[in-house]
Amino acid sequence: MSADLAPRWIAALIAVAEAGSITKAATGMHLTQQAVSAQLNQLERAVDAVLLVRTSRGVALTAAGRTLVERGRPWLGELERLAAEVRMVGHGRAGRLRLHFKMQSTAHFMPELLRRLAQDAPDIEVESHSVARAPEALRALHEGESDAAFIWLPIADAELASADILTEQRMIALAPDHPLARQEKLTLADLRDEPVIGPHADLPEEVMRFWNVDPRPNGSSPRLGPAANTPEECLLHVNAGRGIWPAPASTADYFTQSIVAWRPLVDAAPITLGLVWLRTAPPQILPRLISLSRSLAVHTPGEAP
């Protein structure tokens, strides 16, 4: 392989592989088709192999092309992280922490956490990114866009490490006029005939079973109601009387509108919020991040931190 192999050539090959077309890839890269084709030709000469073949639907990778894309994507990611680290050092910073979170789960401690991190670790640049759903945070971690994220456990992902931050009681969202809303608290027996609303399609089976308490104490499985991907969608389904939605106490505290009634579920395991990370997180800040998060997240939802 030539010593003059340029990262931009590999980036062009990856873009073409993802788009399935040189023209589409060029548009996404804000380059001309001729410029992208030239980069691909230079790359093939550098590695002395054919990487793409034309098909009736566009272009396709050869075996050599697939190998270069599979090995080149993480290599480019490492190169980008190295460049970012060098920039930080050049600006007098020791590193960067990209932190993803769901606001409804962390609103009671996230603002103070960010303020304290800025005070305690001024040489670490902290970027905070809000997401609507846990799969978005997990995707960001695996694609190198995030260093750590606050996610409700379990996550069923052996590549990620985690630390427990906060444990909360399970709450159940009901339609305000639901007969069970007259009760102060609920049990699993109360919910045996209630369809469970939630993101059924894109969660690992282990995670689905945990959230839905499946199997139930009597050995039965819960009924699944409408699929909904965001808390807002879940709440609208609940309000329409299409089922119930289980959520942590902090989520119930965050969504206080009268469109649903929240009741505690007293005979199911509590839910734990975890800090989840990959090895890209700056190791010098992780212990402080975990310690601060645990200390700031101990308040009871509904109270000021």
Side-chain angles (χ1 to χ4, degrees):
M1 183 176 290
S2 170
D4 297 328
L5 189 65
R8 68 179 183 279
W9 301 343
I10 299 178
L13 178 66
I14 293 172
V16 171
E18 292 175 346
S21 161
I22 295 177
T23 302
K24 291 180 181 178
T27 300
M29 299 170 69
H30 304 289
L31 296 173
T32 65
Q33 180 179 346
Q34 292 77 10
V36 174
S37 295
Q39 291 182 2
L40 295 174
N41 290 335
Q42 290 172 302
L43 179 60
E44 288 187 328
R45 286 197 296 270
V47 300
D48 191 25
V50 176
L51 304 174
L52 288 167
V53 293
R54 295 190 178 276
T55 70
S56 59
R57 296 183 178 180
V59 292
L61 293 171
T62 63
R66 285 193 298 272
T67 298
L68 189 50
V69 167
E70 291 170 1
R71 300 286 296 275
R73 184 180 281 112
W75 178 75
L76 283 179
E78 287 293 334
L79 193 61
E80 291 171 359
R81 285 189 283 274
L82 174 60
E85 183 177 340
V86 171
R87 284 195 296 271
M88 292 297 164
V89 173
H91 287 84
R93 293 183 178 273
R96 174 180 63 168
L97 176 71
R98 297 163 298 173
L99 186 61
H100 282 64
F101 63 96
K102 293 197 299 180
M103 181 57 76
Q104 66 268 22
S105 305
T106 60
H108 59 288
F109 71 89
M110 181 61 69
E112 180 65 12
L113 174 64
L114 295 176
R115 188 184 71 81
R116 294 279 293 276
L117 285 174
Q119 290 179 345
D120 297 355
D123 58 337
I124 300 291
E125 182 182 28
V126 180
E127 297 179 5
S128 57
H129 302 277
S130 175
V131 296
R133 308 170 57 238
E136 295 176 38
L138 292 171
R139 179 199 58 78
L141 284 167
H142 282 294
E143 295 186 4
E145 298 172 2
S146 177
D147 299 307
F150 289 106
I151 301 175
W152 293 105
L153 304 178
I155 53 174
D157 192 325
E159 296 183 28
L160 298 173
S162 67
D164 294 355
I165 300 299
L166 171 69
T167 299
E168 293 185 348
Q169 184 172 35
R170 294 184 193 229
M171 302 291 289
I172 300 296
L174 305 159
D177 59 352
H178 195 292
L180 290 176
R182 303 190 191 104
Q183 301 180 195
E184 293 185 1
K185 56 187 179 180
L186 301 174
T187 66
L188 290 168
D190 294 325
L191 304 178
R192 61 182 176 275
D193 297 322
E194 301 296 329
V196 181
I197 297 165
H200 307 319
D202 58 353
L203 293 180
E205 183 178 354
E206 175 186 340
V207 178
M208 277 278 294
R209 288 183 177 277
F210 175 81
W211 281 96
N212 295 338
V213 193
D214 183 11
R216 297 288 170 83
N218 64 0
S220 66
S221 292
R223 293 172 53 199
L224 296 184
N229 290 322
T230 66
E232 291 81 4
E233 291 175 358
C234 291
L235 292 172
L236 288 175
H237 279 303
V238 170
N239 177 261
R242 300 188 182 109
I244 62 169
W245 179 45
S250 57
T251 299
D253 188 59
Y254 187 80
F255 292 103
T256 58
Q257 298 89 343
S258 59
I259 63 170
V260 300
W262 291 100
R263 298 293 181 268
L265 181 61
V266 297
D267 60 345
I271 304 173
T272 298
L273 181 69
L275 180 71
V276 179
W277 66 89
L278 282 170
R279 61 181 177 84
T280 55
Q284 65 269 39
I285 199 175
L286 272 175
R288 183 59 176 155
L289 176 60
I290 294 168
S291 175
L292 267 178
S293 300
R294 286 172 173 167
S295 67
L296 294 173
V298 295
H299 87 287
T300 301
E303 298 177 354

